[in-house]
Amino acid sequence: MERLNQTSSVSEFILLGLSSRPEDQKPLFILFLIIYLVTITGNLLIILAIRSDPQLHTPMYFFLSFLSFIDICFSTTIVPRMLANFLSEKKTISYAGCLTQMYFTYALGNTDSYLLAAMAYDRYVAICDPFHYVTIMSHRPCVLLVAFSCSLPHFHSLLHILLLNQLTFCDSNVVHHFLCDINPLLKLSCSSIFVNDLTIKTEGLVFWVTPFLCIVFSYVRILVAVLRIPSAAGKRKAFSTCGSHLTVVILFYGSIFYVYLQPLSSYTVQDRVATLVYTVLSSMLNPFIYSLRNKDMKRGLGKLMGGRKS
């Protein structure tokens, strides 16, 4: 009972956000409102274009449509709270609301990670084993990959939330971040965080690194296969099918590894910026990355917009 009373002594947290200066709040509100609207619109157009164009009914675009949907949910988990805090003086979030935001942030972020691994596997099969591509990447395996990518991250996220809920917060409730993230919350705890830290460095590391290693393995095999292609035109065509996906992977994983593969004590304002990249900016940039360098996607979007105009 005493432990429960100590834990419940912090009923809310204060999210300091990106800036504590009053004159920055309205410009930041406008900036992130634009980012959010662009994110929702861009990813929604990607989904509609894929659904409306039969030529885009392939495994790669099947995964991309789910990635766009997850990006919409991912951004919605984070940005609306940011927008509300920009216009609020208190900038508070309830204890339950904080854990809920963290749960969905990690669940959806990890889903993004596993979907990117599934897309890398799709490119690997398409380039390295094209004669069996239709059989290997049939509808059933694709659905199973998506189901696995969307379900497993929830168990990972739940584990960290349950462990975090065991901690005692009896001192400061000021979170030096724009969202409820595990590292700044662990720094506020006045109880032992040994189990939490160990879980992050073991289970968390394995969970993040596994899909990344799958992506690296796929691209190493793709690189070897492409280098064997005799013509330069053939090599360019093969690489062009992977360029957009590889750009997204570098943007997403680069910022994640920068934030989480360092000691908790060294967590600084630079980590907030890196977190902003993989949580907010990558969701906005993904539609542009996949459409600007992809002729099929450009055609699908053109048909969609042309159909709407007519």
Side-chain angles (χ1 to χ4, degrees), residues 62-63 66-67 70 106-121 141-156 207 211:
F62 176 75
F63 294 133
F66 275 94
L67 182 68
I70 294 299
Y106 285 148
L108 295 170
N110 285 317
T111 300
D112 258 3
S113 176
Y114 277 80
L115 284 174
L116 289 173
M119 295 168 77
Y121 176 69
C142 289
V143 170
L144 289 176
L145 280 172
V146 168
F148 177 82
S149 300
C150 293
S151 58
L152 184 63
H154 286 274
F155 294 102
H156 164 79
F207 204 89

PDB file of all heavy atoms in Angstrom, residues 62-63 66-67 70 106-121 141-156 207 211:
ATOM      1  N   PHE A  62       1.535  -3.237 -51.307  1.00  0.00           N
ATOM      2  CA  PHE A  62       0.689  -3.750 -50.232  1.00  0.00           C
ATOM      3  C   PHE A  62       1.312  -3.381 -48.884  1.00  0.00           C
ATOM      4  O   PHE A  62       0.636  -2.864 -47.983  1.00  0.00           O
ATOM      5  CB  PHE A  62       0.531  -5.263 -50.378  1.00  0.00           C
ATOM      6  CG  PHE A  62      -0.235  -5.918 -49.265  1.00  0.00           C
ATOM      7  CD1 PHE A  62      -1.609  -5.789 -49.183  1.00  0.00           C
ATOM      8  CD2 PHE A  62       0.427  -6.686 -48.318  1.00  0.00           C
ATOM      9  CE1 PHE A  62      -2.320  -6.403 -48.159  1.00  0.00           C
ATOM     10  CE2 PHE A  62      -0.273  -7.305 -47.291  1.00  0.00           C
ATOM     11  CZ  PHE A  62      -1.654  -7.163 -47.214  1.00  0.00           C
ATOM     12  N   PHE A  63       2.624  -3.620 -48.756  1.00  0.00           N
ATOM     13  CA  PHE A  63       3.332  -3.242 -47.533  1.00  0.00           C
ATOM     14  C   PHE A  63       3.367  -1.721 -47.370  1.00  0.00           C
ATOM     15  O   PHE A  63       3.218  -1.205 -46.261  1.00  0.00           O
ATOM     16  CB  PHE A  63       4.765  -3.788 -47.550  1.00  0.00           C
ATOM     17  CG  PHE A  63       4.852  -5.288 -47.510  1.00  0.00           C
ATOM     18  CD1 PHE A  63       5.689  -5.970 -48.380  1.00  0.00           C
ATOM     19  CD2 PHE A  63       4.102  -6.015 -46.600  1.00  0.00           C
ATOM     20  CE1 PHE A  63       5.775  -7.349 -48.340  1.00  0.00           C
ATOM     21  CE2 PHE A  63       4.182  -7.403 -46.554  1.00  0.00           C
ATOM     22  CZ  PHE A  63       5.022  -8.072 -47.423  1.00  0.00           C
ATOM     23  N   PHE A  66       0.197  -0.251 -45.868  1.00  0.00           N
ATOM     24  CA  PHE A  66       0.120  -0.438 -44.415  1.00  0.00           C
ATOM     25  C   PHE A  66       1.106   0.468 -43.698  1.00  0.00           C
ATOM     26  O   PHE A  66       0.810   0.987 -42.611  1.00  0.00           O
ATOM     27  CB  PHE A  66       0.380  -1.902 -44.047  1.00  0.00           C
ATOM     28  CG  PHE A  66      -0.840  -2.758 -44.126  1.00  0.00           C
ATOM     29  CD1 PHE A  66      -1.129  -3.471 -45.283  1.00  0.00           C
ATOM     30  CD2 PHE A  66      -1.718  -2.838 -43.056  1.00  0.00           C
ATOM     31  CE1 PHE A  66      -2.278  -4.255 -45.368  1.00  0.00           C
ATOM     32  CE2 PHE A  66      -2.867  -3.623 -43.132  1.00  0.00           C
ATOM     33  CZ  PHE A  66      -3.149  -4.329 -44.292  1.00  0.00           C
ATOM     34  N   LEU A  67       2.292   0.666 -44.294  1.00  0.00           N
ATOM     35  CA  LEU A  67       3.272   1.582 -43.709  1.00  0.00           C
ATOM     36  C   LEU A  67       2.701   2.996 -43.630  1.00  0.00           C
ATOM     37  O   LEU A  67       2.870   3.690 -42.622  1.00  0.00           O
ATOM     38  CB  LEU A  67       4.562   1.580 -44.531  1.00  0.00           C
ATOM     39  CG  LEU A  67       5.707   2.453 -44.004  1.00  0.00           C
ATOM     40  CD1 LEU A  67       6.256   1.898 -42.697  1.00  0.00           C
ATOM     41  CD2 LEU A  67       6.823   2.562 -45.041  1.00  0.00           C
ATOM     42  N   ILE A  70       0.119   3.115 -40.798  1.00  0.00           N
ATOM     43  CA  ILE A  70       0.790   3.146 -39.497  1.00  0.00           C
ATOM     44  C   ILE A  70       1.408   4.517 -39.253  1.00  0.00           C
ATOM     45  O   ILE A  70       1.377   5.034 -38.124  1.00  0.00           O
ATOM     46  CB  ILE A  70       1.863   2.046 -39.411  1.00  0.00           C
ATOM     47  CG1 ILE A  70       1.213   0.659 -39.453  1.00  0.00           C
ATOM     48  CG2 ILE A  70       2.698   2.197 -38.140  1.00  0.00           C
ATOM     49  CD1 ILE A  70       0.255   0.382 -38.321  1.00  0.00           C
ATOM     50  N   TYR A 106       5.662   3.311 -29.010  1.00  0.00           N
ATOM     51  CA  TYR A 106       6.574   2.189 -29.213  1.00  0.00           C
ATOM     52  C   TYR A 106       5.957   1.100 -30.081  1.00  0.00           C
ATOM     53  O   TYR A 106       6.635   0.509 -30.929  1.00  0.00           O
ATOM     54  CB  TYR A 106       7.010   1.604 -27.866  1.00  0.00           C
ATOM     55  CG  TYR A 106       8.011   2.458 -27.141  1.00  0.00           C
ATOM     56  CD1 TYR A 106       8.049   2.516 -25.755  1.00  0.00           C
ATOM     57  CD2 TYR A 106       8.914   3.230 -27.856  1.00  0.00           C
ATOM     58  CE1 TYR A 106       8.979   3.315 -25.094  1.00  0.00           C
ATOM     59  CE2 TYR A 106       9.832   4.034 -27.202  1.00  0.00           C
ATOM     60  CZ  TYR A 106       9.862   4.074 -25.826  1.00  0.00           C
ATOM     61  OH  TYR A 106      10.770   4.871 -25.188  1.00  0.00           O
ATOM     62  N   ALA A 107       4.675   0.826 -29.882  1.00  0.00           N
ATOM     63  CA  ALA A 107       4.017  -0.219 -30.674  1.00  0.00           C
ATOM     64  C   ALA A 107       3.998   0.147 -32.151  1.00  0.00           C
ATOM     65  O   ALA A 107       4.337  -0.671 -33.018  1.00  0.00           O
ATOM     66  CB  ALA A 107       2.599  -0.450 -30.165  1.00  0.00           C
ATOM     67  N   LEU A 108       3.636   1.380 -32.454  1.00  0.00           N
ATOM     68  CA  LEU A 108       3.547   1.813 -33.852  1.00  0.00           C
ATOM     69  C   LEU A 108       4.930   2.024 -34.463  1.00  0.00           C
ATOM     70  O   LEU A 108       5.162   1.718 -35.634  1.00  0.00           O
ATOM     71  CB  LEU A 108       2.726   3.100 -33.947  1.00  0.00           C
ATOM     72  CG  LEU A 108       1.251   2.951 -33.551  1.00  0.00           C
ATOM     73  CD1 LEU A 108       0.577   4.315 -33.446  1.00  0.00           C
ATOM     74  CD2 LEU A 108       0.508   2.071 -34.544  1.00  0.00           C
ATOM     75  N   GLY A 109       5.870   2.544 -33.665  1.00  0.00           N
ATOM     76  CA  GLY A 109       7.239   2.716 -34.162  1.00  0.00           C
ATOM     77  C   GLY A 109       7.876   1.384 -34.506  1.00  0.00           C
ATOM     78  O   GLY A 109       8.553   1.237 -35.534  1.00  0.00           O
ATOM     79  N   ASN A 110       7.659   0.380 -33.649  1.00  0.00           N
ATOM     80  CA  ASN A 110       8.193  -0.951 -33.923  1.00  0.00           C
ATOM     81  C   ASN A 110       7.496  -1.611 -35.104  1.00  0.00           C
ATOM     82  O   ASN A 110       8.109  -2.364 -35.857  1.00  0.00           O
ATOM     83  CB  ASN A 110       8.046  -1.840 -32.680  1.00  0.00           C
ATOM     84  CG  ASN A 110       9.048  -1.494 -31.602  1.00  0.00           C
ATOM     85  OD1 ASN A 110      10.215  -1.263 -31.871  1.00  0.00           O
ATOM     86  ND2 ASN A 110       8.592  -1.440 -30.364  1.00  0.00           N
ATOM     87  N   THR A 111       6.209  -1.324 -35.271  1.00  0.00           N
ATOM     88  CA  THR A 111       5.500  -1.836 -36.442  1.00  0.00           C
ATOM     89  C   THR A 111       6.112  -1.285 -37.718  1.00  0.00           C
ATOM     90  O   THR A 111       6.290  -2.011 -38.706  1.00  0.00           O
ATOM     91  CB  THR A 111       4.003  -1.474 -36.374  1.00  0.00           C
ATOM     92  OG1 THR A 111       3.431  -2.047 -35.196  1.00  0.00           O
ATOM     93  CG2 THR A 111       3.258  -1.997 -37.592  1.00  0.00           C
ATOM     94  N   ASP A 112       6.421   0.013 -37.710  1.00  0.00           N
ATOM     95  CA  ASP A 112       7.135   0.620 -38.843  1.00  0.00           C
ATOM     96  C   ASP A 112       8.421  -0.145 -39.147  1.00  0.00           C
ATOM     97  O   ASP A 112       8.735  -0.443 -40.305  1.00  0.00           O
ATOM     98  CB  ASP A 112       7.487   2.078 -38.521  1.00  0.00           C
ATOM     99  CG  ASP A 112       6.557   3.064 -39.200  1.00  0.00           C
ATOM    100  OD1 ASP A 112       5.604   2.621 -39.865  1.00  0.00           O
ATOM    101  OD2 ASP A 112       6.771   4.274 -39.070  1.00  0.00           O
ATOM    102  N   SER A 113       9.153  -0.458 -38.085  1.00  0.00           N
ATOM    103  CA  SER A 113      10.432  -1.148 -38.230  1.00  0.00           C
ATOM    104  C   SER A 113      10.265  -2.508 -38.895  1.00  0.00           C
ATOM    105  O   SER A 113      11.003  -2.869 -39.828  1.00  0.00           O
ATOM    106  CB  SER A 113      11.079  -1.306 -36.845  1.00  0.00           C
ATOM    107  OG  SER A 113      12.270  -2.051 -36.922  1.00  0.00           O
ATOM    108  N   TYR A 114       9.288  -3.282 -38.459  1.00  0.00           N
ATOM    109  CA  TYR A 114       9.075  -4.621 -39.013  1.00  0.00           C
ATOM    110  C   TYR A 114       8.488  -4.571 -40.423  1.00  0.00           C
ATOM    111  O   TYR A 114       8.779  -5.446 -41.251  1.00  0.00           O
ATOM    112  CB  TYR A 114       8.193  -5.439 -38.073  1.00  0.00           C
ATOM    113  CG  TYR A 114       8.984  -6.056 -36.950  1.00  0.00           C
ATOM    114  CD1 TYR A 114       9.346  -5.308 -35.836  1.00  0.00           C
ATOM    115  CD2 TYR A 114       9.412  -7.372 -37.014  1.00  0.00           C
ATOM    116  CE1 TYR A 114      10.094  -5.857 -34.814  1.00  0.00           C
ATOM    117  CE2 TYR A 114      10.159  -7.945 -35.993  1.00  0.00           C
ATOM    118  CZ  TYR A 114      10.510  -7.175 -34.896  1.00  0.00           C
ATOM    119  OH  TYR A 114      11.269  -7.718 -33.889  1.00  0.00           O
ATOM    120  N   LEU A 115       7.683  -3.563 -40.708  1.00  0.00           N
ATOM    121  CA  LEU A 115       7.179  -3.412 -42.078  1.00  0.00           C
ATOM    122  C   LEU A 115       8.319  -3.063 -43.036  1.00  0.00           C
ATOM    123  O   LEU A 115       8.346  -3.541 -44.181  1.00  0.00           O
ATOM    124  CB  LEU A 115       6.099  -2.334 -42.130  1.00  0.00           C
ATOM    125  CG  LEU A 115       4.724  -2.731 -41.584  1.00  0.00           C
ATOM    126  CD1 LEU A 115       3.798  -1.528 -41.560  1.00  0.00           C
ATOM    127  CD2 LEU A 115       4.107  -3.855 -42.420  1.00  0.00           C
ATOM    128  N   LEU A 116       9.270  -2.239 -42.593  1.00  0.00           N
ATOM    129  CA  LEU A 116      10.431  -1.927 -43.424  1.00  0.00           C
ATOM    130  C   LEU A 116      11.260  -3.188 -43.688  1.00  0.00           C
ATOM    131  O   LEU A 116      11.808  -3.362 -44.779  1.00  0.00           O
ATOM    132  CB  LEU A 116      11.293  -0.858 -42.745  1.00  0.00           C
ATOM    133  CG  LEU A 116      10.709   0.557 -42.707  1.00  0.00           C
ATOM    134  CD1 LEU A 116      11.589   1.477 -41.862  1.00  0.00           C
ATOM    135  CD2 LEU A 116      10.566   1.128 -44.114  1.00  0.00           C
ATOM    136  N   ALA A 117      11.348  -4.069 -42.689  1.00  0.00           N
ATOM    137  CA  ALA A 117      12.059  -5.339 -42.882  1.00  0.00           C
ATOM    138  C   ALA A 117      11.317  -6.225 -43.884  1.00  0.00           C
ATOM    139  O   ALA A 117      11.943  -6.879 -44.735  1.00  0.00           O
ATOM    140  CB  ALA A 117      12.203  -6.066 -41.545  1.00  0.00           C
ATOM    141  N   ALA A 118       9.983  -6.250 -43.811  1.00  0.00           N
ATOM    142  CA  ALA A 118       9.190  -7.033 -44.764  1.00  0.00           C
ATOM    143  C   ALA A 118       9.366  -6.509 -46.181  1.00  0.00           C
ATOM    144  O   ALA A 118       9.458  -7.285 -47.143  1.00  0.00           O
ATOM    145  CB  ALA A 118       7.708  -6.994 -44.367  1.00  0.00           C
ATOM    146  N   MET A 119       9.441  -5.183 -46.331  1.00  0.00           N
ATOM    147  CA  MET A 119       9.646  -4.577 -47.650  1.00  0.00           C
ATOM    148  C   MET A 119      11.035  -4.895 -48.186  1.00  0.00           C
ATOM    149  O   MET A 119      11.219  -5.103 -49.392  1.00  0.00           O
ATOM    150  CB  MET A 119       9.420  -3.065 -47.565  1.00  0.00           C
ATOM    151  CG  MET A 119       7.982  -2.695 -47.224  1.00  0.00           C
ATOM    152  SD  MET A 119       7.751  -0.951 -46.785  1.00  0.00           S
ATOM    153  CE  MET A 119       7.815  -0.196 -48.412  1.00  0.00           C
ATOM    154  N   ALA A 120      12.029  -4.944 -47.297  1.00  0.00           N
ATOM    155  CA  ALA A 120      13.383  -5.312 -47.725  1.00  0.00           C
ATOM    156  C   ALA A 120      13.418  -6.761 -48.197  1.00  0.00           C
ATOM    157  O   ALA A 120      14.071  -7.086 -49.197  1.00  0.00           O
ATOM    158  CB  ALA A 120      14.369  -5.100 -46.576  1.00  0.00           C
ATOM    159  N   TYR A 121      12.714  -7.628 -47.487  1.00  0.00           N
ATOM    160  CA  TYR A 121      12.632  -9.037 -47.894  1.00  0.00           C
ATOM    161  C   TYR A 121      11.953  -9.168 -49.254  1.00  0.00           C
ATOM    162  O   TYR A 121      12.373  -9.968 -50.096  1.00  0.00           O
ATOM    163  CB  TYR A 121      11.871  -9.833 -46.843  1.00  0.00           C
ATOM    164  CG  TYR A 121      11.657 -11.281 -47.213  1.00  0.00           C
ATOM    165  CD1 TYR A 121      12.725 -12.176 -47.256  1.00  0.00           C
ATOM    166  CD2 TYR A 121      10.381 -11.760 -47.524  1.00  0.00           C
ATOM    167  CE1 TYR A 121      12.534 -13.505 -47.594  1.00  0.00           C
ATOM    168  CE2 TYR A 121      10.185 -13.090 -47.872  1.00  0.00           C
ATOM    169  CZ  TYR A 121      11.264 -13.955 -47.904  1.00  0.00           C
ATOM    170  OH  TYR A 121      11.071 -15.267 -48.247  1.00  0.00           O
ATOM    171  N   PRO A 141       1.381 -15.223 -47.636  1.00  0.00           N
ATOM    172  CA  PRO A 141       2.585 -14.822 -46.898  1.00  0.00           C
ATOM    173  C   PRO A 141       2.645 -13.324 -46.613  1.00  0.00           C
ATOM    174  O   PRO A 141       3.121 -12.914 -45.545  1.00  0.00           O
ATOM    175  CB  PRO A 141       3.727 -15.250 -47.834  1.00  0.00           C
ATOM    176  CG  PRO A 141       3.159 -16.342 -48.656  1.00  0.00           C
ATOM    177  CD  PRO A 141       1.728 -15.964 -48.866  1.00  0.00           C
ATOM    178  N   CYS A 142       2.174 -12.498 -47.551  1.00  0.00           N
ATOM    179  CA  CYS A 142       2.189 -11.048 -47.340  1.00  0.00           C
ATOM    180  C   CYS A 142       1.274 -10.654 -46.182  1.00  0.00           C
ATOM    181  O   CYS A 142       1.639  -9.820 -45.346  1.00  0.00           O
ATOM    182  CB  CYS A 142       1.764 -10.323 -48.612  1.00  0.00           C
ATOM    183  SG  CYS A 142       2.977 -10.402 -49.945  1.00  0.00           S
ATOM    184  N   VAL A 143       0.093 -11.261 -46.133  1.00  0.00           N
ATOM    185  CA  VAL A 143      -0.844 -10.982 -45.040  1.00  0.00           C
ATOM    186  C   VAL A 143      -0.253 -11.429 -43.701  1.00  0.00           C
ATOM    187  O   VAL A 143      -0.363 -10.725 -42.680  1.00  0.00           O
ATOM    188  CB  VAL A 143      -2.195 -11.676 -45.297  1.00  0.00           C
ATOM    189  CG1 VAL A 143      -3.095 -11.598 -44.061  1.00  0.00           C
ATOM    190  CG2 VAL A 143      -2.892 -11.045 -46.487  1.00  0.00           C
ATOM    191  N   LEU A 144       0.410 -12.591 -43.697  1.00  0.00           N
ATOM    192  CA  LEU A 144       1.026 -13.090 -42.467  1.00  0.00           C
ATOM    193  C   LEU A 144       2.157 -12.179 -42.006  1.00  0.00           C
ATOM    194  O   LEU A 144       2.321 -11.927 -40.795  1.00  0.00           O
ATOM    195  CB  LEU A 144       1.547 -14.510 -42.683  1.00  0.00           C
ATOM    196  CG  LEU A 144       0.487 -15.610 -42.826  1.00  0.00           C
ATOM    197  CD1 LEU A 144       1.134 -16.950 -43.139  1.00  0.00           C
ATOM    198  CD2 LEU A 144      -0.359 -15.711 -41.553  1.00  0.00           C
ATOM    199  N   LEU A 145       2.955 -11.675 -42.949  1.00  0.00           N
ATOM    200  CA  LEU A 145       4.036 -10.750 -42.597  1.00  0.00           C
ATOM    201  C   LEU A 145       3.479  -9.461 -41.986  1.00  0.00           C
ATOM    202  O   LEU A 145       4.020  -8.947 -40.997  1.00  0.00           O
ATOM    203  CB  LEU A 145       4.874 -10.415 -43.834  1.00  0.00           C
ATOM    204  CG  LEU A 145       5.912 -11.451 -44.254  1.00  0.00           C
ATOM    205  CD1 LEU A 145       6.527 -11.082 -45.597  1.00  0.00           C
ATOM    206  CD2 LEU A 145       7.006 -11.574 -43.198  1.00  0.00           C
ATOM    207  N   VAL A 146       2.407  -8.941 -42.571  1.00  0.00           N
ATOM    208  CA  VAL A 146       1.785  -7.726 -42.034  1.00  0.00           C
ATOM    209  C   VAL A 146       1.189  -7.994 -40.653  1.00  0.00           C
ATOM    210  O   VAL A 146       1.342  -7.191 -39.723  1.00  0.00           O
ATOM    211  CB  VAL A 146       0.709  -7.186 -43.001  1.00  0.00           C
ATOM    212  CG1 VAL A 146      -0.130  -6.110 -42.325  1.00  0.00           C
ATOM    213  CG2 VAL A 146       1.352  -6.635 -44.256  1.00  0.00           C
ATOM    214  N   ALA A 147       0.509  -9.140 -40.502  1.00  0.00           N
ATOM    215  CA  ALA A 147      -0.091  -9.493 -39.210  1.00  0.00           C
ATOM    216  C   ALA A 147       0.985  -9.631 -38.133  1.00  0.00           C
ATOM    217  O   ALA A 147       0.820  -9.152 -36.998  1.00  0.00           O
ATOM    218  CB  ALA A 147      -0.879 -10.789 -39.341  1.00  0.00           C
ATOM    219  N   PHE A 148       2.100 -10.268 -38.487  1.00  0.00           N
ATOM    220  CA  PHE A 148       3.222 -10.414 -37.557  1.00  0.00           C
ATOM    221  C   PHE A 148       3.806  -9.050 -37.204  1.00  0.00           C
ATOM    222  O   PHE A 148       4.077  -8.761 -36.030  1.00  0.00           O
ATOM    223  CB  PHE A 148       4.296 -11.301 -38.191  1.00  0.00           C
ATOM    224  CG  PHE A 148       5.533 -11.452 -37.351  1.00  0.00           C
ATOM    225  CD1 PHE A 148       5.583 -12.363 -36.314  1.00  0.00           C
ATOM    226  CD2 PHE A 148       6.655 -10.673 -37.618  1.00  0.00           C
ATOM    227  CE1 PHE A 148       6.727 -12.501 -35.542  1.00  0.00           C
ATOM    228  CE2 PHE A 148       7.804 -10.802 -36.856  1.00  0.00           C
ATOM    229  CZ  PHE A 148       7.840 -11.722 -35.814  1.00  0.00           C
ATOM    230  N   SER A 149       3.987  -8.191 -38.204  1.00  0.00           N
ATOM    231  CA  SER A 149       4.574  -6.863 -38.000  1.00  0.00           C
ATOM    232  C   SER A 149       3.696  -5.978 -37.128  1.00  0.00           C
ATOM    233  O   SER A 149       4.208  -5.120 -36.396  1.00  0.00           O
ATOM    234  CB  SER A 149       4.809  -6.178 -39.347  1.00  0.00           C
ATOM    235  OG  SER A 149       5.686  -6.919 -40.160  1.00  0.00           O
ATOM    236  N   CYS A 150       2.389  -6.167 -37.204  1.00  0.00           N
ATOM    237  CA  CYS A 150       1.456  -5.316 -36.462  1.00  0.00           C
ATOM    238  C   CYS A 150       1.136  -5.837 -35.060  1.00  0.00           C
ATOM    239  O   CYS A 150       0.715  -5.065 -34.204  1.00  0.00           O
ATOM    240  CB  CYS A 150       0.151  -5.149 -37.244  1.00  0.00           C
ATOM    241  SG  CYS A 150       0.323  -4.225 -38.791  1.00  0.00           S
ATOM    242  N   SER A 151       1.338  -7.141 -34.831  1.00  0.00           N
ATOM    243  CA  SER A 151       0.949  -7.721 -33.538  1.00  0.00           C
ATOM    244  C   SER A 151       2.115  -7.849 -32.560  1.00  0.00           C
ATOM    245  O   SER A 151       1.983  -7.469 -31.383  1.00  0.00           O
ATOM    246  CB  SER A 151       0.304  -9.093 -33.759  1.00  0.00           C
ATOM    247  OG  SER A 151       1.189  -9.971 -34.436  1.00  0.00           O
ATOM    248  N   LEU A 152       3.260  -8.353 -33.009  1.00  0.00           N
ATOM    249  CA  LEU A 152       4.394  -8.574 -32.108  1.00  0.00           C
ATOM    250  C   LEU A 152       4.845  -7.302 -31.382  1.00  0.00           C
ATOM    251  O   LEU A 152       5.127  -7.354 -30.177  1.00  0.00           O
ATOM    252  CB  LEU A 152       5.561  -9.190 -32.892  1.00  0.00           C
ATOM    253  CG  LEU A 152       6.790  -9.561 -32.058  1.00  0.00           C
ATOM    254  CD1 LEU A 152       6.449 -10.642 -31.030  1.00  0.00           C
ATOM    255  CD2 LEU A 152       7.932 -10.045 -32.955  1.00  0.00           C
ATOM    256  N   PRO A 153       4.924  -6.143 -32.044  1.00  0.00           N
ATOM    257  CA  PRO A 153       5.367  -4.931 -31.331  1.00  0.00           C
ATOM    258  C   PRO A 153       4.511  -4.558 -30.128  1.00  0.00           C
ATOM    259  O   PRO A 153       5.011  -3.910 -29.197  1.00  0.00           O
ATOM    260  CB  PRO A 153       5.283  -3.846 -32.412  1.00  0.00           C
ATOM    261  CG  PRO A 153       5.477  -4.579 -33.688  1.00  0.00           C
ATOM    262  CD  PRO A 153       4.774  -5.884 -33.488  1.00  0.00           C
ATOM    263  N   HIS A 154       3.260  -4.974 -30.100  1.00  0.00           N
ATOM    264  CA  HIS A 154       2.407  -4.635 -28.959  1.00  0.00           C
ATOM    265  C   HIS A 154       2.856  -5.370 -27.699  1.00  0.00           C
ATOM    266  O   HIS A 154       2.755  -4.818 -26.587  1.00  0.00           O
ATOM    267  CB  HIS A 154       0.945  -4.953 -29.282  1.00  0.00           C
ATOM    268  CG  HIS A 154       0.323  -3.975 -30.228  1.00  0.00           C
ATOM    269  ND1 HIS A 154      -0.266  -2.798 -29.813  1.00  0.00           N
ATOM    270  CD2 HIS A 154       0.218  -3.977 -31.573  1.00  0.00           C
ATOM    271  CE1 HIS A 154      -0.725  -2.128 -30.850  1.00  0.00           C
ATOM    272  NE2 HIS A 154      -0.438  -2.822 -31.944  1.00  0.00           N
ATOM    273  N   PHE A 155       3.357  -6.577 -27.839  1.00  0.00           N
ATOM    274  CA  PHE A 155       3.869  -7.313 -26.673  1.00  0.00           C
ATOM    275  C   PHE A 155       5.149  -6.649 -26.151  1.00  0.00           C
ATOM    276  O   PHE A 155       5.341  -6.530 -24.937  1.00  0.00           O
ATOM    277  CB  PHE A 155       4.132  -8.770 -27.047  1.00  0.00           C
ATOM    278  CG  PHE A 155       2.898  -9.541 -27.400  1.00  0.00           C
ATOM    279  CD1 PHE A 155       2.574  -9.796 -28.723  1.00  0.00           C
ATOM    280  CD2 PHE A 155       2.041  -9.993 -26.406  1.00  0.00           C
ATOM    281  CE1 PHE A 155       1.430 -10.501 -29.056  1.00  0.00           C
ATOM    282  CE2 PHE A 155       0.892 -10.698 -26.721  1.00  0.00           C
ATOM    283  CZ  PHE A 155       0.577 -10.951 -28.051  1.00  0.00           C
ATOM    284  N   HIS A 156       6.002  -6.238 -27.058  1.00  0.00           N
ATOM    285  CA  HIS A 156       7.233  -5.525 -26.679  1.00  0.00           C
ATOM    286  C   HIS A 156       6.894  -4.232 -25.952  1.00  0.00           C
ATOM    287  O   HIS A 156       7.464  -3.932 -24.893  1.00  0.00           O
ATOM    288  CB  HIS A 156       8.042  -5.231 -27.953  1.00  0.00           C
ATOM    289  CG  HIS A 156       9.099  -4.195 -27.765  1.00  0.00           C
ATOM    290  ND1 HIS A 156      10.314  -4.451 -27.171  1.00  0.00           N
ATOM    291  CD2 HIS A 156       9.123  -2.880 -28.104  1.00  0.00           C
ATOM    292  CE1 HIS A 156      11.043  -3.353 -27.150  1.00  0.00           C
ATOM    293  NE2 HIS A 156      10.343  -2.383 -27.701  1.00  0.00           N
ATOM    294  N   PHE A 207      15.015  -6.513 -30.080  1.00  0.00           N
ATOM    295  CA  PHE A 207      13.777  -6.238 -30.810  1.00  0.00           C
ATOM    296  C   PHE A 207      13.989  -5.208 -31.907  1.00  0.00           C
ATOM    297  O   PHE A 207      13.408  -5.309 -32.989  1.00  0.00           O
ATOM    298  CB  PHE A 207      12.712  -5.742 -29.819  1.00  0.00           C
ATOM    299  CG  PHE A 207      11.306  -5.968 -30.295  1.00  0.00           C
ATOM    300  CD1 PHE A 207      10.656  -7.153 -30.010  1.00  0.00           C
ATOM    301  CD2 PHE A 207      10.650  -5.010 -31.044  1.00  0.00           C
ATOM    302  CE1 PHE A 207       9.372  -7.376 -30.455  1.00  0.00           C
ATOM    303  CE2 PHE A 207       9.357  -5.225 -31.489  1.00  0.00           C
ATOM    304  CZ  PHE A 207       8.715  -6.408 -31.200  1.00  0.00           C
ATOM    305  N   PRO A 211      15.027  -6.667 -36.907  1.00  0.00           N
ATOM    306  CA  PRO A 211      14.568  -6.258 -38.244  1.00  0.00           C
ATOM    307  C   PRO A 211      15.629  -5.489 -39.016  1.00  0.00           C
ATOM    308  O   PRO A 211      15.717  -5.616 -40.243  1.00  0.00           O
ATOM    309  CB  PRO A 211      13.349  -5.372 -37.957  1.00  0.00           C
ATOM    310  CG  PRO A 211      13.480  -4.958 -36.542  1.00  0.00           C
ATOM    311  CD  PRO A 211      14.183  -6.074 -35.851  1.00  0.00           C
TER     312      PRO A 211
END
